[in-house]
Amino acid sequence: MEISHAKQVINIDEKLTERINELLSHYPADKKKSALLPVLHEVQDAHDNWLSIELQDKVAEILEIKPVEVYEVVTFYTMYNQKPIGKYMFEFCRTSCCCLRGAEDLMDYTCDKLGIKEGETTPDGQFTVVGVECLGACGYAPMLQIGDYYREHLTKEKVDTLIEECKAGKVDLHKQDHYTE
Ligand code: FES
């Protein structure tokens, strides 16, 4: 289990509490653990997209479960981040279809362009590049996920454009959509 020693300000404010309570309302009162995955997403979104051990402990407290029950979920799914990441995380699919269509070259190209290695974040805290397993858009390979977006049929030129869009603040990370062009 990777443990980050970075400090994280924990802020379970009124808005986040309301959202958590709304999620909990879908489950029996004695089955709060059932809401663990969506609650982790909400809490992560509200905390710069990562979950420190302290924050995971807080989630366990809210759901009245053992901390290890949160740790085992956070360490299993790659969508939960255990250390600080960049504002824009490029998650390149590197499973078969995307690999065959050049995903690894594109990821290397992106890393070189940003001056980082896979798994690293740029010094300005803006970009992180990671490789992930199949994101279910195999027919649009090669592709990446950024926030809730899918960017598909990727080329180096499209990666260049996406980086520029991010730098210009034109990318809405929570607009659920996918773009093939
Ligand atoms: S192999 Fe890349 S999305 Fe499935």
Side-chain angles (χ1 to χ4, degrees):
M1 177 171 163
E2 184 177 0
I3 296 178
S4 170
H5 297 290
K7 287 283 172 211
Q8 184 174 45
V9 176
I10 296 176
N11 180 21
I12 311 290
D13 62 15
E14 197 175 328
K15 188 173 160 211
L16 182 54
T17 301
E18 264 178 34
R19 183 69 190 123
I20 291 171
N21 287 339
E22 198 281 322
L23 290 167
L24 288 174
S25 73
H26 296 272
Y27 303 96
D30 62 344
K31 296 276 189 284
K32 289 184 179 177
K33 186 181 174 183
S34 302
L36 178 55
L37 270 68
V39 166
L40 282 171
H41 279 301
E42 289 292 334
V43 171
Q44 179 170 264
D45 278 353
H47 289 84
D48 295 327
N49 210 16
W50 74 287
L51 298 156
S52 63
I53 289 292
E54 293 77 14
L55 188 50
Q56 293 176 51
D57 290 346
K58 187 69 187 171
V59 170
E61 183 187 317
I62 292 168
L63 298 184
E64 299 172 2
I65 58 178
K66 294 181 186 134
V68 70
E69 294 178 274
V70 179
Y71 304 161
E72 62 193 12
V73 167
V74 170
T75 54
F76 182 79
Y77 292 109
T78 56
M79 69 275 279
Y80 301 121
N81 302 307
Q82 300 167 63
K83 62 182 180 182
I85 60 159
K87 180 175 179 184
Y88 301 103
M89 182 156 73
F90 286 22
E91 298 178 77
F92 282 90
C93 169
R94 59 178 175 198
T95 308
S96 333
C97 297
C98 289
C99 246
L100 288 169
R101 293 187 56 84
E104 289 186 323
D105 283 349
L106 280 171
M107 189 158 65
D108 289 346
Y109 172 79
T110 308
C111 285
D112 287 348
K113 188 173 173 84
L114 295 172
I116 55 176
K117 294 190 174 76
E118 184 194 342
E120 290 183 347
T121 298
T122 52
D124 62 3
Q126 290 297 292
F127 296 96
T128 300
V129 176
V130 292
V132 297
E133 301 310 318
C134 180
L135 290 167
C138 319
Y140 305 97
M143 56 81 67
L144 65 76
Q145 180 168 6
I146 174 170
D148 296 332
Y149 279 85
Y150 276 10
R151 295 284 176 130
E152 300 159 340
H153 291 154
L154 282 178
T155 60
K156 289 178 181 173
E157 292 71 27
K158 287 182 182 177
V159 167
D160 291 343
T161 302
L162 180 56
I163 290 172
E164 291 312 311
E165 286 173 353
C166 291
K167 286 180 177 172
K170 292 181 179 171
V171 173
D172 176 358
L173 294 171
H174 296 295
K175 183 178 172 191
Q176 293 192 355
D177 210 337
H178 72 120
Y179 292 86
T180 57
E181 298 310 318

